[in-house]
């Protein structure tokens, strides 16, 4: 189990390691003379086949913000993104709904908000067991070693799946590994099962059996998503740059719908996959354009925050029940943690 003080210790170390960096603005660089454009925009991305990789591949941000240096930094989990945000290393990042639910809660209280939903997680995040284990149901996992990145959406989904099946967490050995390490441990035969996301998931499924997917858990009320988080300092200082960023993300979703071949090719280049495999993985996610994100079930509006806040609050309450979070903040904390106003500013009318 990872206690909050362990994550705080990691944050303190990260702050110490980055303390020598000099910044003159929330964007991480000297002023450009243009109040609408930061000198730098530092983005934390993950290898997830959604619109963010299309924006990166097509260099749309670089073209839309020619006076800003765009710095892309890869992370393996939302927990790492939380640490980087607290350390002041990035301005915008991708984190799953479970890490964001933790990030907005004490003791972290990370000063960021959610202006965009990268994707609603579906079949791209699943629990897979080795075929030779003979396990065919969740109940059969008792006594097995299961790997997942702690404090991630996969970790949350694993706990939810076990609880729903009546399998005590104490009856299994849950191991904290990042996706690349999960693949290596699977290859060595060190683990029996794993709850993880693509592209590592796709490799495990070649020799494993899928027991449950996050899409199936969503149908049971345990919805997970990949969210954008932006520091309050950046959003306040550079609202026009944030609007530009949001517009590129919407452009990527629309490309998936209008020219899936081009979208899959862009993702394939970023993940070093065939276009066919990238297209298949893309189909496992639910992508939402700007108009859909403003609906009541998602971000909602500034006047009436949407269902995402309720989902984050429910996740926090579940994590408290599992002993992974000490206290769940009230719903208002999560309503304040989502940022539909930024979306409305980027897409007026």
């Amino acid at each position: 189990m990872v206690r909050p003080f362990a994550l705080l210790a990691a944050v303190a170390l990260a702050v110490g390691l980055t303390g020598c960096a000099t910044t003159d603005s929330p964007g991480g660089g000297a002023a450009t003379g243009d109040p609408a454009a930061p000198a730098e925009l530092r983005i934390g991305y993950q290898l997830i086949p959604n619109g963010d990789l299309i924006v990166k591949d097509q260099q749309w941000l670089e073209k839309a913000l020619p006076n800003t240096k765009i710095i892309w930094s890869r992370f393996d989990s939302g927990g790492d993104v939380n640490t980087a945000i607290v350390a002041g290393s990035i301005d915008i990042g991708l984190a799953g709904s479970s890490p964001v639910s933790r990030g907005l809660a004490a003791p972290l209280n990370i000063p960021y908000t959610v202006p965009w939903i990268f994707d609603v997680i579906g079949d791209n995040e699943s629990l897979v067991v080795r075929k030779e284990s003979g396990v065919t149901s969740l109940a059969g996992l008792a006594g097995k070693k299961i790997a997942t990145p702690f404090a991630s959406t996969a970790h949350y989904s694993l706990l939810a799946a076990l609880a729903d099946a009546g399998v005590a967490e104490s009856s299994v050995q849950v191991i904290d590994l990042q996706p690349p390490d999960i693949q290596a441990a699977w290859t060595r035969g060190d683990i029996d099962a794993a709850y993880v996301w693509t592209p590592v998931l796709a490799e495990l499924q070649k020799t494993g059996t899928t027991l449950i997917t996050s899409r199936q858990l969503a149908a049971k009320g345990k919805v997970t998503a990949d969210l954008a988080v932006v520091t309050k300092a950046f959003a306040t200082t550079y609202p026009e740059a944030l609007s530009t960023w949001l517009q590129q993300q919407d452009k990527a979703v629309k490309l998936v719908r209008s020219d899936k071949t081009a979208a899959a090719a862009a993702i394939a280049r970023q993940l070093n996959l065939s276009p066919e495999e990238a297209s298949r993985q893309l189909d496992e996610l639910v992508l939402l354009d700007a108009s859909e994100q403003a609906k009541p079930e998602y971000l909602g509006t500034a006047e009436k925050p949407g269902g995402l806040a309720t989902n984050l609050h429910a996740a926090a309450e579940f994590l408290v029940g599992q002993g992974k979070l000490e206290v769940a903040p009230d719903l208002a904390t999560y309503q304040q943690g989502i940022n539909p106003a930024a979306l409305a500013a980027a897409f007026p009318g």
Side-chain angles (χ1 to χ4, degrees), residues 304-326:
K304 190 173 182 179
L308 176 62
T310 302
N311 178 257
L312 292 173
H313 181 243
E317 291 185 321
F318 176 83
L319 292 170
V320 169
Q322 295 294 311
K324 307 303 182 184
L325 192 64
E326 292 184 359

Side-chain angles (χ1 to χ4, degrees), residues 77-123:
S77 72
D80 291 342
V81 169
N82 275 349
T83 301
I85 291 239
V86 172
S89 301
I90 58 175
D91 306 301
I92 299 176
L94 183 157
S97 48
S98 183
V100 173
S101 180
R102 289 169 177 258
L104 291 171
L108 291 180
N109 297 316
I110 300 176
Y112 60 31
T113 60
V114 177
W116 183 258
I117 301 171
F118 284 112
D119 59 76
V120 176
I121 297 172
D123 300 323

Side-chain angles (χ1 to χ4, degrees):
M1 177 190 304
V2 174
R3 289 295 186 187
F5 66 78
L7 182 53
L8 284 175
V11 169
L13 175 60
V15 171
L17 292 174
T18 58
C20 59
T22 300
T23 61
D24 298 319
S25 74
T32 61
D34 179 359
E40 295 178 349
L41 171 50
R42 303 163 302 169
I43 301 171
Y45 75 100
Q46 295 191 50
L47 295 181
I48 297 173
N50 57 31
D52 203 30
L53 290 187
I54 297 173
V55 173
K56 179 177 182 290
D57 182 82
Q58 297 296 298
Q59 298 188 325
W60 286 339
L61 271 174
E62 288 80 353
K63 296 169 186 174
L65 295 170
N67 296 322
T68 298
K69 181 179 181 181
I70 309 299
I71 301 174
W72 295 85
S73 298
R74 174 184 159 186
F75 292 86
D76 289 325
S77 72
D80 291 342
V81 169
N82 275 349
T83 301
I85 291 239
V86 172
S89 301
I90 58 175
D91 306 301
I92 299 176
L94 183 157
S97 48
S98 183
V100 173
S101 180
R102 289 169 177 258
L104 291 171
L108 291 180
N109 297 316
I110 300 176
Y112 60 31
T113 60
V114 177
W116 183 258
I117 301 171
F118 284 112
D119 59 76
V120 176
I121 297 172
D123 300 323
N124 68 301
E125 201 164 287
S126 303
L127 175 59
V128 181
V129 64
R130 304 180 74 89
K131 288 181 180 178
E132 61 266 29
S133 70
V135 175
T136 58
S137 68
L138 289 164
L141 290 172
K144 303 298 184 182
K145 294 181 180 179
I146 310 173
T148 194
F150 278 14
S152 68
T153 51
H155 189 197
Y156 166 79
S157 294
L158 171 62
L159 297 178
L162 293 174
D164 183 68
V167 178
E169 184 185 351
S170 59
S171 71
V172 301
Q173 184 178 352
V174 183
I175 303 171
D176 180 16
L177 292 176
Q178 295 298 319
D181 300 319
I182 287 176
Q183 185 171 345
W186 182 278
T187 300
R188 293 191 303 266
D190 293 346
I191 56 176
D192 303 298
Y195 209 122
V196 70
W197 52 86
T198 52
V200 170
L201 172 63
E203 292 302 312
L204 271 53
Q205 287 174 325
K206 292 177 181 178
T207 55
T209 300
T210 300
L211 293 182
I212 194 167
T213 72
S214 292
R215 188 185 299 274
Q216 291 171 310
L217 284 170
K220 296 174 179 286
K222 303 299 182 183
V223 179
T224 51
D226 290 314
L227 309 175
V229 288
V230 58
T231 66
K232 290 182 178 179
F234 187 90
T236 300
T237 307
Y238 300 113
E240 292 184 31
L242 178 57
S243 287
T244 298
W245 182 89
L246 287 164
Q247 290 159 3
Q248 309 319 304
Q249 293 295 332
D250 184 64
K251 182 178 177 181
V253 174
K254 288 183 166 58
L255 179 67
V256 172
R257 297 176 179 179
S258 65
D259 191 346
K260 188 183 173 188
T261 299
I267 290 172
R269 284 189 290 269
Q270 292 298 310
L271 296 179
N272 195 28
L273 299 173
S274 70
E276 293 76 20
E277 176 61 16
S279 179
R280 185 191 71 79
Q281 292 187 17
L282 185 58
D283 286 342
E284 294 177 335
L285 293 164
V286 178
L287 304 185
L288 306 168
D289 65 21
S291 63
E292 292 165 332
Q293 301 219 11
K295 290 183 177 180
E297 58 264 42
Y298 299 114
L299 291 178
T301 65
E303 295 75 22
K304 190 173 182 179
L308 176 62
T310 302
N311 178 257
L312 292 173
H313 181 243
E317 291 185 321
F318 176 83
L319 292 170
V320 169
Q322 295 294 311
K324 307 303 182 184
L325 192 64
E326 292 184 359
V327 179
D330 58 17
L331 177 59
T333 297
Y334 290 107
Q335 290 175 331
Q336 294 163 9
I338 62 175
N339 193 355
L343 190 67
F347 301 94

